Short mmCIF file of all heavy atoms in Angstrom, two decimals:
data_model
loop_
_atom_site.label_atom_id
_atom_site.label_comp_id
_atom_site.label_asym_id
_atom_site.label_seq_id
_atom_site.Cartn_x
_atom_site.Cartn_y
_atom_site.Cartn_z
N ILE A 1 4.55 -34.54 -39.02
CA ILE A 1 3.43 -33.59 -38.95
C ILE A 1 2.29 -34.04 -39.85
O ILE A 1 1.11 -34.03 -39.45
CB ILE A 1 3.90 -32.18 -39.31
CG1 ILE A 1 4.85 -31.63 -38.24
CG2 ILE A 1 2.70 -31.24 -39.50
CD1 ILE A 1 5.52 -30.33 -38.61
N GLU A 2 2.61 -34.46 -41.05
CA GLU A 2 1.57 -34.93 -41.98
C GLU A 2 0.81 -36.12 -41.39
O GLU A 2 -0.42 -36.20 -41.46
CB GLU A 2 2.22 -35.32 -43.31
CG GLU A 2 1.22 -35.75 -44.37
CD GLU A 2 1.89 -36.05 -45.70
OE1 GLU A 2 3.05 -35.64 -45.90
OE2 GLU A 2 1.23 -36.70 -46.55
N LYS A 3 1.54 -37.05 -40.77
CA LYS A 3 0.90 -38.22 -40.17
C LYS A 3 0.02 -37.84 -38.98
O LYS A 3 -1.04 -38.43 -38.75
CB LYS A 3 1.96 -39.23 -39.74
CG LYS A 3 2.57 -40.02 -40.88
CD LYS A 3 1.54 -40.96 -41.49
CE LYS A 3 2.17 -41.84 -42.56
NZ LYS A 3 1.16 -42.74 -43.18
N ILE A 4 0.47 -36.86 -38.20
CA ILE A 4 -0.34 -36.40 -37.07
C ILE A 4 -1.68 -35.89 -37.56
O ILE A 4 -2.73 -36.21 -36.98
CB ILE A 4 0.42 -35.32 -36.27
CG1 ILE A 4 1.62 -35.92 -35.53
CG2 ILE A 4 -0.52 -34.62 -35.29
CD1 ILE A 4 2.54 -34.90 -34.90
N TRP A 5 -1.67 -35.12 -38.62
CA TRP A 5 -2.92 -34.57 -39.14
C TRP A 5 -3.79 -35.65 -39.76
O TRP A 5 -5.01 -35.52 -39.79
CB TRP A 5 -2.62 -33.46 -40.14
CG TRP A 5 -2.29 -32.18 -39.43
CD1 TRP A 5 -1.08 -31.81 -38.91
CD2 TRP A 5 -3.18 -31.13 -39.10
NE1 TRP A 5 -1.17 -30.60 -38.30
CE2 TRP A 5 -2.44 -30.15 -38.40
CE3 TRP A 5 -4.54 -30.90 -39.34
CZ2 TRP A 5 -3.03 -28.97 -37.92
CZ3 TRP A 5 -5.13 -29.75 -38.88
CH2 TRP A 5 -4.38 -28.79 -38.17
N GLU A 6 -3.18 -36.73 -40.23
CA GLU A 6 -3.96 -37.85 -40.75
C GLU A 6 -4.60 -38.68 -39.63
O GLU A 6 -5.74 -39.13 -39.74
CB GLU A 6 -3.07 -38.78 -41.58
CG GLU A 6 -2.64 -38.23 -42.93
CD GLU A 6 -1.71 -39.19 -43.64
OE1 GLU A 6 -1.52 -40.33 -43.16
OE2 GLU A 6 -1.17 -38.80 -44.70
N LYS A 7 -3.87 -38.87 -38.54
CA LYS A 7 -4.28 -39.81 -37.50
C LYS A 7 -5.15 -39.19 -36.41
O LYS A 7 -5.94 -39.89 -35.78
CB LYS A 7 -3.05 -40.45 -36.85
CG LYS A 7 -2.22 -41.30 -37.78
CD LYS A 7 -1.00 -41.87 -37.09
CE LYS A 7 -1.38 -42.90 -36.05
NZ LYS A 7 -0.20 -43.64 -35.53
N CYS A 8 -4.97 -37.91 -36.14
CA CYS A 8 -5.63 -37.28 -35.01
C CYS A 8 -6.80 -36.41 -35.46
O CYS A 8 -6.84 -35.93 -36.59
CB CYS A 8 -4.64 -36.41 -34.23
SG CYS A 8 -3.24 -37.31 -33.56
N ASN A 9 -7.75 -36.20 -34.57
CA ASN A 9 -8.83 -35.27 -34.80
C ASN A 9 -8.33 -33.87 -34.49
O ASN A 9 -8.25 -33.47 -33.33
CB ASN A 9 -10.02 -35.62 -33.92
CG ASN A 9 -11.17 -34.64 -34.07
OD1 ASN A 9 -11.11 -33.69 -34.85
ND2 ASN A 9 -12.23 -34.84 -33.30
N MET A 10 -7.98 -33.14 -35.54
CA MET A 10 -7.34 -31.84 -35.36
C MET A 10 -8.30 -30.68 -35.55
O MET A 10 -7.89 -29.56 -35.85
CB MET A 10 -6.15 -31.72 -36.33
CG MET A 10 -5.13 -32.83 -36.21
SD MET A 10 -4.35 -32.90 -34.57
CE MET A 10 -3.17 -31.56 -34.72
N ASN A 11 -9.60 -30.94 -35.37
CA ASN A 11 -10.59 -29.86 -35.48
C ASN A 11 -10.26 -28.74 -34.50
O ASN A 11 -9.88 -28.98 -33.35
CB ASN A 11 -11.99 -30.39 -35.18
CG ASN A 11 -12.49 -31.34 -36.25
OD1 ASN A 11 -11.99 -31.33 -37.37
ND2 ASN A 11 -13.48 -32.15 -35.91
N ASN A 12 -10.40 -27.51 -34.99
CA ASN A 12 -10.19 -26.30 -34.19
C ASN A 12 -8.74 -26.12 -33.75
O ASN A 12 -8.47 -25.45 -32.75
CB ASN A 12 -11.11 -26.29 -32.96
CG ASN A 12 -12.58 -26.38 -33.33
OD1 ASN A 12 -13.03 -25.70 -34.26
ND2 ASN A 12 -13.33 -27.21 -32.62
N ILE A 13 -7.82 -26.72 -34.47
CA ILE A 13 -6.39 -26.55 -34.20
C ILE A 13 -5.74 -25.93 -35.43
O ILE A 13 -5.92 -26.40 -36.55
CB ILE A 13 -5.72 -27.89 -33.85
CG1 ILE A 13 -6.30 -28.45 -32.56
CG2 ILE A 13 -4.20 -27.72 -33.71
CD1 ILE A 13 -5.85 -29.85 -32.22
N SER A 14 -4.99 -24.88 -35.24
CA SER A 14 -4.38 -24.16 -36.35
C SER A 14 -3.13 -24.89 -36.86
O SER A 14 -2.25 -25.22 -36.06
CB SER A 14 -3.98 -22.74 -35.93
OG SER A 14 -3.22 -22.12 -36.94
N PRO A 15 -3.04 -25.10 -38.17
CA PRO A 15 -1.81 -25.67 -38.73
C PRO A 15 -0.58 -24.81 -38.47
O PRO A 15 0.55 -25.30 -38.51
CB PRO A 15 -2.11 -25.75 -40.24
CG PRO A 15 -3.59 -25.71 -40.34
CD PRO A 15 -4.06 -24.87 -39.19
N GLU A 16 -0.81 -23.53 -38.18
CA GLU A 16 0.31 -22.62 -37.95
C GLU A 16 1.06 -22.93 -36.66
O GLU A 16 2.18 -22.43 -36.45
CB GLU A 16 -0.18 -21.17 -37.95
CG GLU A 16 -0.70 -20.72 -39.31
CD GLU A 16 -1.14 -19.27 -39.31
OE1 GLU A 16 -1.01 -18.61 -38.24
OE2 GLU A 16 -1.60 -18.78 -40.35
N LEU A 17 0.48 -23.75 -35.80
CA LEU A 17 1.19 -24.14 -34.58
C LEU A 17 2.34 -25.09 -34.88
O LEU A 17 3.25 -25.24 -34.06
CB LEU A 17 0.22 -24.84 -33.61
CG LEU A 17 -0.89 -23.99 -32.98
CD1 LEU A 17 -1.78 -24.86 -32.11
CD2 LEU A 17 -0.29 -22.85 -32.17
N PHE A 18 2.32 -25.74 -36.04
CA PHE A 18 3.29 -26.79 -36.34
C PHE A 18 4.49 -26.24 -37.11
O PHE A 18 4.33 -25.52 -38.10
CB PHE A 18 2.61 -27.90 -37.13
CG PHE A 18 1.69 -28.74 -36.30
CD1 PHE A 18 0.43 -28.28 -35.95
CD2 PHE A 18 2.10 -29.98 -35.84
CE1 PHE A 18 -0.41 -29.04 -35.15
CE2 PHE A 18 1.26 -30.76 -35.05
CZ PHE A 18 0.01 -30.29 -34.71
N HIS A 19 5.66 -26.61 -36.64
CA HIS A 19 6.91 -26.14 -37.23
C HIS A 19 7.75 -27.35 -37.64
O HIS A 19 8.05 -28.22 -36.83
CB HIS A 19 7.69 -25.29 -36.22
CG HIS A 19 6.91 -24.11 -35.72
ND1 HIS A 19 6.95 -22.88 -36.31
CD2 HIS A 19 6.04 -24.00 -34.67
CE1 HIS A 19 6.16 -22.05 -35.66
NE2 HIS A 19 5.60 -22.72 -34.66
N SER A 20 8.13 -27.39 -38.89
CA SER A 20 8.87 -28.52 -39.43
C SER A 20 10.35 -28.41 -39.09
O SER A 20 10.97 -27.36 -39.27
CB SER A 20 8.70 -28.57 -40.96
OG SER A 20 9.48 -29.59 -41.52
N ILE A 21 10.90 -29.50 -38.58
CA ILE A 21 12.33 -29.57 -38.29
C ILE A 21 12.92 -30.78 -39.03
O ILE A 21 12.18 -31.62 -39.57
CB ILE A 21 12.60 -29.65 -36.76
CG1 ILE A 21 11.82 -30.81 -36.10
CG2 ILE A 21 12.17 -28.35 -36.10
CD1 ILE A 21 12.56 -32.08 -35.94
N ARG A 22 14.24 -30.88 -39.04
CA ARG A 22 14.90 -31.98 -39.74
C ARG A 22 15.92 -32.64 -38.83
O ARG A 22 16.63 -31.95 -38.08
CB ARG A 22 15.59 -31.47 -41.02
CG ARG A 22 14.63 -30.88 -42.03
CD ARG A 22 15.35 -30.38 -43.26
NE ARG A 22 16.01 -31.47 -43.98
CZ ARG A 22 16.71 -31.31 -45.10
NH1 ARG A 22 16.85 -30.10 -45.63
NH2 ARG A 22 17.26 -32.35 -45.69
N GLY A 23 15.99 -33.96 -38.92
CA GLY A 23 16.99 -34.69 -38.15
C GLY A 23 18.39 -34.24 -38.48
O GLY A 23 18.75 -34.09 -39.65
N GLY A 24 19.18 -33.98 -37.44
CA GLY A 24 20.56 -33.56 -37.65
C GLY A 24 20.74 -32.06 -37.78
O GLY A 24 21.89 -31.59 -37.89
N GLU A 25 19.65 -31.28 -37.74
CA GLU A 25 19.75 -29.82 -37.86
C GLU A 25 19.27 -29.17 -36.57
O GLU A 25 18.07 -29.18 -36.26
CB GLU A 25 18.93 -29.33 -39.05
CG GLU A 25 19.45 -29.82 -40.39
CD GLU A 25 18.71 -29.23 -41.57
OE1 GLU A 25 17.80 -28.39 -41.36
OE2 GLU A 25 19.03 -29.61 -42.71
#
């Protein structure tokens, strides 16, 4: 998620749409 926000133009997109998950869970 952090890399997506670094690489993409995320203007007008709410960070609240993103949900963190973990491998194996």
Side-chain angles (χ1 to χ4, degrees):
I1 292 172
E2 183 176 344
K3 284 292 184 181
I4 290 171
W5 281 83
E6 288 177 7
K7 296 179 69 170
C8 299
N9 177 1
M10 304 299 282
N11 291 341
N12 302 317
I13 296 172
S14 171
E16 294 182 1
L17 293 177
F18 287 78
H19 303 269
S20 176
I21 54 95
R22 298 179 64 179
E25 295 185 2

